[in-house]
Amino acid sequence: MNISHDSACEALLASVALAIADGGLQVVDLTQTLSPDFPTIVLPPEFGQSAPFRMERISRYDGDGPAWYWNNISLGEHTGTHFDAPIHWYTGRDLPLNTVDTIPVRDMVALACVIDCSSQSDADPDYLLGVADVLAWEERHGRIPPRTWVLLRTDWSKKSGRDYTNLRDDGAHTPGPDAEVMRWLVEERDILGFGTETIGTDAGQASHFIPPHPAHHFLHGAGRYGLQCLSNLDLLPARGALIVGAPLKIRHGSGSPLRVLALVAAKA
Amino acid sequence: MTEPLSPPKRKNPLARTRRTLLPPSARSRTAHGLTLAAAEGRFALQRCGECGKFTYPPRDACPECLSSQLVFVEAPVGGVLVTSTTIHVTGDSYFREHMPWRQGIVVADCGPRIIAHLHADCTDGERVNLSLRLDKAGQPVVFAAPSQRASNMQDDPALREMTADPRYRRVLITNGRHPATEALVRSFKDAGATSVFVGVAEAWKPLAGEDRLGAIDGVQLLSLDLTDQRSVFNLAADIAGKVDILVNTADHVRPVHLFEPAGTRKLMEAVNATVAGTMNLAQAFGPAMAGRGADGVNSAAAWVNLLSAYALANAPEFGAVSVSHAACLSLSHWLRAELRKGGVRLLNAFAGPLDDEWYQSVPAPRVSAGQLADGIIDGLRRGLEEIYVGDVARDIRARLAANPKALEREIGR
């Protein structure tokens, strides 16, 4: 690396910092607040469940710690806004660098394409993103570049409680990708990962798809990632947002709650 | 005839909530033979193993033959009230607040002359039924009531001090997702409870029977997650001062094998749902209830725990249930000691396998929700500390008393 390249990079970072400071670049928080009543994925009760977020006080300026306030927290790896590593699914179990402590950190900073399906999801909670929808998006915004996030905007994060989980006696009814589009995005577009506003990267009824849970199946089988329980996707442009999302460095971790930020150019 | 209880008025915000005073509570170790019987609603007196004579009060030697073989056994409940007195003035702080108070001498059919607290309907020379009751201090006393049932007998002021009758009381059922919830709600309403609060965790999940529950007059569904300390304290902030009977239905039944890889996690999930849940409840609701033990007609009266009979001996098929409920049993004794100072009872309702999903493969007899609810209402009306609902629980209780080692071996097969 030569001196001019080094100084160019330094100038680039400086201009990014300056743009953030003066508001030319906005930092958008794509994260839901971790709270005890935020829903977790629901599996049949004979299976193990992801623990909800819990917080217990250690001290609050009291006898257990007169000058300090702090808590113990507990939660599942897949609770709240969280990241799925390839090892999370059986298809990715034998890949190298497939856990949150080993995935390359450069993947934690990447551009995103945002596909707006909010009106379709509003009309049909079982709406499924298909290849045709993505091709239509590419018609307007250009081809999805390799190694980028594809984020499915449904505005589902604006719902809460039972509307958010939308559980019925035949399972959850929430939007997501169909099986073919997941295979296609991974194999034909080489995406880095797929992100949603719902509890999983897959649709609520995805256990009935072939293969079941295709987002998990294809993404993780190819060493790609998942992000779920995202919010504020309506504040992102169709393309050009830079996603910063670093899962906790948990040994052999299959995923992790994380703070997901997006850098976006301020609207003129 | 007993005057029917009047529904309590709303609390006067200018009046201080009376502190709970307790009747004298000293008892000898021997006398706790009566405590054991009273806690379970049995009438038991000492009987001499040599001469066969019943005796009362409890002693260490038979007054007839001086034998030390005095054993508590079930005794006939009948007797005749030979004389009575109505006390109007006393130096005792507790009884001063409950004047006038009747006491009398009953000649029990089995022999002893017994000084007993009297139901207001008792008449000198008439037949009475004797029972052992736990008084406000949790200590055993003998209570005599007319052998003929009359209306409103349960509303007798002296008896109400020794019971936790749901009539005109407000009830909190802590886990609305427990399979017995609807039966409990209906039973409490039928028993005259004014209102029933039902805690529901994870409001984002559908609740089976929600429409039916919500349609019952006086029922309110409220957000309550026992495993979340903040949620428990939030609800307590709203209603702790209005909970007269708390029915803790915390439960988490999952099959766990001791040697399975996730065994520890599964055990801790059960412990968290039950023991930590109960601890959270105790911290949030215990102080308020203990402070309202003498708050009139709708004073705080009882805390009820639903416990598996497997708390008494580990059933390997439901090992984690046994461990978590055994811990809850110990916690209940801790809590009872605190609540007793406030005149609030703690009733442990032990049941065998319930007739629900998690015990689907367990052969009959299983305990139905209605059976459990009826048992709890009966236990509260009689002021008990331990009830055993269904054949399995009663069998475990009997085998535990007879030979704990045999029970351990047999249930662990």
Side-chain angles (χ1 to χ4, degrees):
Chain A
M1 209 168 276
N2 58 44
I3 291 171
S4 65
H5 182 269
D6 285 356
S7 55
C9 287
E10 191 179 325
L12 178 63
L13 286 175
S15 60
V16 167
L18 190 63
I20 291 171
D22 71 12
L25 272 179
Q26 287 185 335
V27 183
V28 179
D29 191 352
L30 306 184
T31 322
Q32 297 269 10
T33 303
L34 276 174
S35 71
D37 49 3
F38 190 79
T40 51
I41 187 91
V42 173
L43 302 177
E46 63 270 24
F47 288 123
Q49 311 288 331
S50 186
F53 175 76
R54 289 290 182 267
M55 187 164 81
E56 279 146 14
R57 180 182 305 172
I58 306 172
S59 73
R60 193 179 173 102
Y61 329 115
D62 54 25
D64 288 318
W68 50 95
Y69 166 57
W70 52 350
N71 303 292
N72 285 329
I73 59 169
S74 62
L75 73 173
E77 287 175 331
H78 299 261
T79 295
T81 299
H82 67 275
F83 177 96
D84 286 354
I87 201 173
H88 177 44
W89 212 249
Y90 77 95
T91 50
R93 67 185 166 191
D94 295 326
L95 297 175
L97 310 181
N98 59 357
T99 55
V100 284
D101 54 327
T102 57
I103 59 171
V105 289
R106 65 172 178 275
D107 288 346
M108 299 177 194
V109 182
L111 290 167
C113 297
V114 181
I115 302 177
D116 181 3
C117 301
S118 54
S119 58
Q120 297 95 314
S121 303
D122 187 45
D124 175 13
D126 289 315
Y127 166 76
L128 298 178
L129 179 78
V131 174
D133 299 304
V134 183
L135 289 172
W137 183 92
E138 288 189 334
E139 280 285 308
R140 293 182 58 197
H141 303 289
R143 187 182 169 98
I144 294 171
R147 304 300 291 179
T148 57
W149 286 101
V150 170
L151 305 180
L152 181 64
R153 175 186 160 193
T154 54
D155 287 352
W156 214 257
S157 59
K158 298 180 188 302
K159 299 174 187 285
S160 63
R162 288 187 190 176
D163 292 338
Y164 182 73
T165 54
N166 207 23
L167 286 163
R168 299 180 207 155
D169 60 7
D170 61 351
H173 291 267
T174 53
D178 72 17
E180 177 56 18
V181 79
M182 284 318 304
R183 188 199 60 75
W184 184 85
L185 283 169
V186 169
E187 293 180 4
E188 306 296 328
R189 290 295 180 267
D190 193 24
I191 63 170
L192 178 70
F194 187 76
T196 63
E197 296 176 59
T198 49
I199 289 181
T201 48
D202 271 301
Q205 292 285 303
S207 60
H208 303 291
F209 297 177
I210 302 172
H213 308 285
H216 289 77
H217 184 99
F218 290 114
L219 286 170
H220 304 324
R224 310 306 157 89
Y225 315 122
L227 280 173
Q228 42 256 293
C229 306
L230 295 169
S231 65
N232 287 332
L233 295 188
D234 55 327
L235 302 180
L236 303 188
R239 60 186 300 157
L242 184 67
I243 304 297
V244 182
L248 298 175
K249 198 169 181 177
I250 301 166
R251 177 168 298 193
H252 305 315
S254 75
S256 156
L258 77 176
R259 193 81 180 244
V260 186
L261 304 176
L263 295 182
V264 300
K267 288 189 179 127
Chain B
M1 204 177 79
T2 313
E3 276 289 303
L5 211 57
S6 299
K9 289 174 68 177
R10 285 187 173 173
K11 217 168 153 61
N12 177 0
L14 301 181
R16 169 176 174 267
T17 301
R18 312 244 33 203
R19 295 198 57 179
T20 309
L21 300 176
L22 301 177
S25 64
R27 295 292 187 279
S28 70
R29 184 171 298 171
T30 303
H32 282 309
L34 300 177
T35 314
L36 175 63
E40 297 180 348
R42 294 181 285 110
F43 186 65
L45 297 176
Q46 281 176 310
R47 187 178 198 178
C48 179
E50 292 194 23
C51 73
K53 288 263 168 52
F54 279 95
T55 185
Y56 180 89
R59 309 174 154 85
D60 295 324
C62 174
E64 288 289 323
C65 70
L66 295 180
S67 164
S68 60
Q69 291 179 39
L70 290 176
V71 184
F72 283 93
V73 296
E74 305 270 322
V77 298
V80 174
L81 175 64
V82 292
T83 183
S84 69
T85 182
T86 301
I87 303 161
H88 292 275
V89 180
T90 174
D92 181 88
S93 303
Y94 169 78
F95 284 106
R96 273 184 65 171
E97 300 198 338
H98 298 279
M99 295 288 102
W101 190 274
R102 289 190 75 202
Q103 285 191 326
I105 296 175
V106 176
V107 175
D109 293 348
C110 60
R113 297 169 72 84
I114 296 174
I115 296 178
H117 298 294
L118 298 183
H119 190 282
D121 291 352
C122 288
T123 310
D124 289 8
E126 297 288 326
R127 286 198 60 77
V128 293
N129 283 347
L130 294 165
S131 55
L132 283 167
R133 305 277 177 175
L134 295 171
D135 68 10
K136 199 82 174 171
Q139 299 293 19
V141 293
V142 180
F143 188 79
S147 55
Q148 297 291 321
R149 295 284 308 168
S151 49
N152 312 319
M153 277 182 81
Q154 189 68 20
D155 289 350
D156 178 71
L159 186 56
R160 206 159 155 100
E161 280 294 290
M162 301 174 193
T163 58
D165 196 299
R167 189 156 146 85
Y168 295 135
R169 285 198 160 105
R170 298 156 294 185
V171 181
L172 168 63
I173 294 168
T174 64
N175 169 21
R177 296 184 187 276
H178 190 283
T181 301
E182 189 175 341
L184 281 167
V185 169
R186 291 191 188 282
S187 295
F188 272 106
K189 287 300 294 178
D190 290 347
T194 322
S195 50
V196 182
F197 306 111
V198 179
V200 180
E202 299 176 320
W204 47 272
K205 280 183 189 168
L207 172 66
E210 182 173 7
D211 294 343
R212 286 196 307 277
L213 274 182
I216 302 171
D217 185 42
V219 172
Q220 285 184 62
L221 302 181
L222 300 168
S223 174
L224 176 62
D225 190 330
L226 301 180
T227 64
D228 175 14
Q229 196 173 48
R230 194 176 173 86
S231 163
V232 181
F233 274 82
N234 283 349
L235 186 66
D238 278 342
I239 68 162
K242 299 175 193 165
V243 173
D244 310 321
I245 296 174
L246 186 150
V247 185
N248 175 20
T249 53
D251 205 5
H252 186 84
V253 182
R254 298 289 185 277
V256 186
H257 192 281
L258 182 61
F259 297 148
E260 73 174 82
T264 303
R265 171 183 61 77
K266 292 183 180 182
L267 174 68
M268 292 317 293
E269 283 175 359
V271 167
N272 195 37
T274 55
V275 187
T278 302
M279 184 72 178
N280 285 337
L281 275 173
Q283 294 207 310
F285 286 87
M289 290 183 73
R292 286 190 50 255
D295 196 18
V297 168
N298 56 0
S299 62
W303 180 296
V304 182
N305 287 318
L306 264 55
L307 295 180
S308 169
Y310 297 147
L312 302 170
N314 193 290
E317 198 183 346
F318 297 98
V321 173
S322 294
V323 170
S324 60
H325 283 231
C328 284
L329 175 58
S330 181
L331 176 53
S332 79
H333 296 167
W334 190 10
L335 177 59
R336 182 181 281 151
E338 289 298 329
L339 292 178
R340 192 161 55 228
K341 296 174 196 163
V344 175
R345 285 155 206 282
L346 188 144
L347 167 64
N348 282 330
F350 294 93
L354 302 183
D355 197 9
D356 75 0
E357 276 304 316
W358 294 106
Y359 294 108
Q360 181 203 356
S361 58
V362 176
R366 288 185 278 159
V367 175
S368 73
Q371 211 181 343
L372 186 58
D374 290 348
I376 287 169
I377 299 293
D378 179 65
L380 289 169
R381 281 184 169 149
R382 297 164 67 197
L384 307 185
E385 287 192 347
E386 262 88 40
I387 62 168
Y388 300 87
V389 184
D391 293 340
V392 172
R394 279 195 291 270
D395 180 54
I396 288 175
R397 165 73 182 93
R399 287 152 73 195
L400 183 70
N403 183 345
K405 211 62 188 167
L407 175 63
E408 179 199 320
R409 289 288 195 278
E410 289 167 4
I411 209 168
R413 266 205 299 257

